[in-house]
Amino acid sequence: MSKHWSISDLLDGKASADTEVTVKGWVRTQRPSKAGFSFINLHDGSCFNPIQVIAPAELDNYDSDVLKATTGASLVVTGRLVASQGKGQSFEIQATSIEVLGLVDDPASYPIQPKPHTMEFLRTVAHLRPRTNAIGAVTRVRNCLAQAIHRFMHEKQFNWIHTPIITASDCEGAGEMFRVSTLDQTNLPLTDKGEVDYNQDFFGKEAFLTVSGQLNVETYCMAMSKVYTFGPTFRAENSNTSRHLAEFWMVEPEIAFADLQDNADLAEEMLQYICKAVLDERADDLAFFNQRIDKTVIERLEAIVNNQFERMDYTDAIKVLQTSGKKFEYPVEWGVDLQSEHERYLAEEKIGRPVILMNYPKDIKAFYMRLNDDEKTVAAMDVLAPGIGEMIGGSQREERLDVLDRRIDEMDLPKEHYWWYRDLRRYGTVPHAGFGLGFERMVAYTTGMQNIRDVIPFPRAPGSAEF
RNA sequence: GGGAGCAUAGCUCAGUGGAAGAGCGACUGCCUGUUAAGCAGUGGGUCGAAGGUUCAAUCCCUUCUGCUCCCGCCA
């Protein structure tokens, strides 16, 4: 294909005015004028704003093609880049030729009309929704966040570890898992006991899609010191909410020679870094979100970048909730897991920003979290964000083999399945900690989008895997 | 898994037991250096599906399907 400019570069003034340029993209709107030309707004995904093309009636194919290029049609436009006479854009293109690559069949029923759509409707046309302002902006912000995460980690000398998607160990324990099997589902091989014989399956044992790369990444942490995973994870929970997906992306850093404070500091520094990246690099998209989606988005991101995160012990949070004067549906007492209403009160009403809750009762947390000296709490932390709830969950890991074994026994877990995880405590164990950031929750928080299904290109949820 | 709600034009939604409505979009015309333009007109419907009640059902009842929201699970 011949060389052409991105609309982003043209609007940024990277090409000299009065030179000939070519752009390729899709029509957002066309406004024909009887004054002898037509205004076409063309977008190519490179930035929020489209570029305005002035198509003069003198073009050979003006009546035959150009005027038929309705919203959604694809064009190659060549012309002179000039300072715009109109308001709303710095530059525009005075077209000398317009090639229509693809028209829109039946414009009346083309789903992406130049008018507001609901997010619910756009989910039913997920193959076309990236052409909208909102989903296009989400896509760029999502990319910006992902790139910023890798950049942050790289600058801090973390190694990105590609942990497996398929796991044959059933010891992850973070929820229901999707089974991976090549057995003939209509004719399953059975053992003598009448159970499915997974010895005959592809891996010779049961296999699943991962729910977390944590246990795997801990092994590399015990050699590379600073590591992280960033990839898709899967939960087969029947969760039907605006903040859960069956397939979602998670960032899981793991740091050696570190405790819970170091872990919280890392989470804070990373969130500040990536929020700043979005403020710096995606001002155009943020302006849109701030105007159309959530009027507090920019303010919120600036507050994260410019303020220390509030840190609060679970035990203190319980006291705050008990003395809040609020009537909660679920009563609060030490030892209970916090309900959404409690987390919301803390993050939204009490603090108004993300808050890091630390040191939870051991009975409501996972076996691998490090037991505190009080023997009642573990070194766990959650980052709670207004509107999203739990954005990050993490902990200092139990590095003492005897204590870990005690916890495994207490929870009645199959110790033999954790043999390689326990080995890490036998061979040069060190204090270490890590956390998991729900990437889509971060994108939702950053954009103000209310449903997590609108911040991932093709959302997977119970009963929903179209596209 | 528990609870609530919704389903009427391409989209967003009114509405009524007795002849299907608006706004936006589409199309046509007028107008215009216009900005999701303005003005006028035209077309567009198995009222989610299947049963039932009724002289008559888009409306009332039952079942089903789909979607949304809240809670739980968590990230």
Side-chain angles (χ1 to χ4, degrees):
Chain A
M1 297 291 272
S2 60
K3 198 162 182 283
H4 61 279
W5 287 87
S6 76
I7 289 170
S8 172
D9 282 350
L10 291 185
L11 293 178
D12 280 351
K14 298 213 173 126
S16 313
D18 293 318
T19 56
E20 181 175 89
V21 296
T22 296
V23 290
K24 305 182 182 189
W26 294 265
V27 175
R28 180 147 282 149
T29 59
Q30 173 161 200
R31 295 178 296 281
S33 165
K34 280 297 181 295
F37 47 84
S38 183
F39 299 105
I40 298 170
N41 279 353
L42 200 71
H43 70 96
D44 66 358
S46 61
C47 56
F48 182 80
N49 286 313
I51 194 163
Q52 175 157 281
V53 173
I54 314 298
E58 291 75 39
L59 292 173
D60 291 344
N61 58 350
Y62 187 75
D63 290 311
S64 58
D65 295 338
V66 175
L67 288 182
K68 291 178 183 161
T70 54
T71 302
S74 47
L75 306 182
V76 178
V77 174
T78 299
R80 202 160 53 94
L81 184 71
V82 297
S84 181
Q85 298 171 34
K87 291 176 182 151
Q89 60 275 321
S90 48
F91 294 99
E92 63 188 22
I93 297 174
Q94 294 278 355
T96 50
S97 96
I98 294 181
E99 181 189 354
V100 178
L101 294 179
L103 289 174
V104 167
D105 266 3
D106 186 22
S109 63
Y110 178 60
I112 310 300
Q113 299 164 348
K115 55 161 283 178
H117 291 291
T118 60
M119 292 299 151
E120 291 80 7
F121 169 69
L122 291 177
R123 270 171 233 152
T124 68
V125 286
H127 58 312
L128 299 173
R129 70 178 183 165
R131 301 174 181 210
T132 63
N133 280 338
I135 301 299
V138 165
T139 304
R140 283 182 297 272
V141 169
R142 183 182 169 105
N143 178 67
C144 177
L145 284 166
Q147 299 287 356
I149 285 165
H150 284 305
R151 204 163 57 240
F152 173 81
M153 292 298 176
H154 184 65
E155 287 172 7
K156 289 197 155 301
Q157 297 185 298
F158 278 66
N159 274 280
W160 178 19
I161 307 301
H162 303 125
T163 51
I165 304 294
I166 297 174
T167 174
S169 58
D170 61 354
C171 56
E172 304 193 20
E176 289 295 308
M177 303 173 87
F178 289 102
R179 180 179 299 284
V180 175
S181 173
T182 55
L183 293 177
D184 179 357
Q185 298 298 300
T186 63
N187 185 24
L188 290 169
L190 300 179
T191 63
D192 297 343
K193 293 178 184 169
E195 294 165 342
V196 176
D197 184 7
Y198 288 107
N199 289 325
Q200 296 185 41
D201 206 344
F202 187 88
F203 296 107
K205 53 161 71 171
E206 290 186 275
F208 304 90
L209 295 180
T210 185
V211 296
S212 163
Q214 180 199 320
L215 300 190
N216 287 297
V217 89
E218 276 190 54
T219 67
Y220 271 70
C221 183
M222 295 296 96
M224 313 300 289
S225 300
K226 294 196 280 190
V227 296
Y228 71 109
T229 74
F230 187 1
T233 50
F234 307 86
R235 304 279 164 91
E237 305 285 350
N238 189 14
S239 299
N240 236 301
T241 79
S242 59
R243 53 189 191 284
H244 288 85
L245 290 165
E247 175 178 332
F248 65 100
W249 286 57
M250 191 151 60
V251 184
E252 296 177 281
E254 194 75 29
I255 42 178
F257 314 105
D259 61 16
L260 189 64
Q261 301 304 324
D262 299 319
N263 204 28
D265 290 346
L266 178 67
E268 174 173 5
E269 196 181 344
M270 184 178 86
L271 289 179
Q272 287 179 324
Y273 184 98
I274 64 180
C275 287
K276 184 166 191 311
V278 176
L279 284 167
D280 289 347
E281 298 167 24
R282 295 270 45 112
D284 57 343
D285 296 315
L286 283 181
F288 166 79
F289 290 121
N290 212 61
Q291 188 190 347
R292 296 290 182 98
I293 306 291
D294 179 344
K295 300 205 183 312
T296 67
V297 165
I298 293 177
E299 180 188 316
R300 211 161 63 198
L301 293 179
E302 287 173 343
I304 286 188
V305 172
N306 297 323
N307 294 284
Q308 283 231 305
F309 282 27
E310 194 76 25
R311 286 163 169 75
M312 194 184 289
D313 256 34
Y314 167 89
T315 302
D316 295 329
I318 293 295
K319 286 178 195 152
V320 166
L321 289 165
Q322 284 174 333
T323 58
S324 66
K326 287 270 297 183
K327 275 282 169 219
F328 293 112
E329 189 183 341
Y330 295 89
V332 181
E333 61 178 275
W334 198 95
V336 303
D337 210 352
L338 297 183
Q339 305 287 314
S340 279
E341 56 176 345
H342 307 137
E343 296 183 346
R344 260 206 307 277
Y345 172 79
L346 291 170
E348 292 171 17
E349 294 183 46
K350 181 73 180 173
I351 308 294
R353 294 199 314 275
V355 51
I356 308 181
L357 281 193
M358 309 168 86
N359 298 313
Y360 285 74
K362 65 173 179 162
D363 292 336
I364 59 173
K365 288 294 179 183
F367 74 94
Y368 53 74
M369 297 186 177
R370 191 178 194 280
L371 190 64
N372 287 326
D373 291 344
D374 61 13
E375 298 267 325
K376 293 187 331 197
T377 60
V378 290
M381 68 171 200
D382 284 352
V383 178
L384 309 178
I388 300 290
E390 188 178 337
M391 191 146 72
I392 284 178
S395 65
Q396 184 175 342
R397 321 304 188 187
E398 184 54 75
E399 86 281 12
R400 301 161 296 188
L401 184 62
D402 57 329
V403 183
L404 182 70
D405 281 348
R406 212 167 79 216
R407 295 282 290 146
I408 289 176
D409 290 340
E410 274 174 20
M411 295 190 172
D412 212 18
L413 296 169
K415 195 178 287 174
E416 63 279 10
H417 287 179
Y418 299 99
W419 69 271
W420 54 264
Y421 191 70
R422 292 176 66 249
D423 268 4
L424 300 176
R425 277 73 182 166
R426 296 173 62 211
Y427 307 134
T429 191
V430 301
H432 62 293
F435 63 84
L437 167 70
F439 186 59
E440 282 75 20
R441 289 184 178 175
M442 184 67 208
V443 180
Y445 186 71
T446 306
T447 57
M449 297 292 286
Q450 297 206 325
N451 194 310
I452 201 166
R453 297 177 192 194
D454 301 321
V455 300
I456 188 169
F458 299 103
R460 271 79 176 97
S464 176
E466 187 70 45
F467 304 103

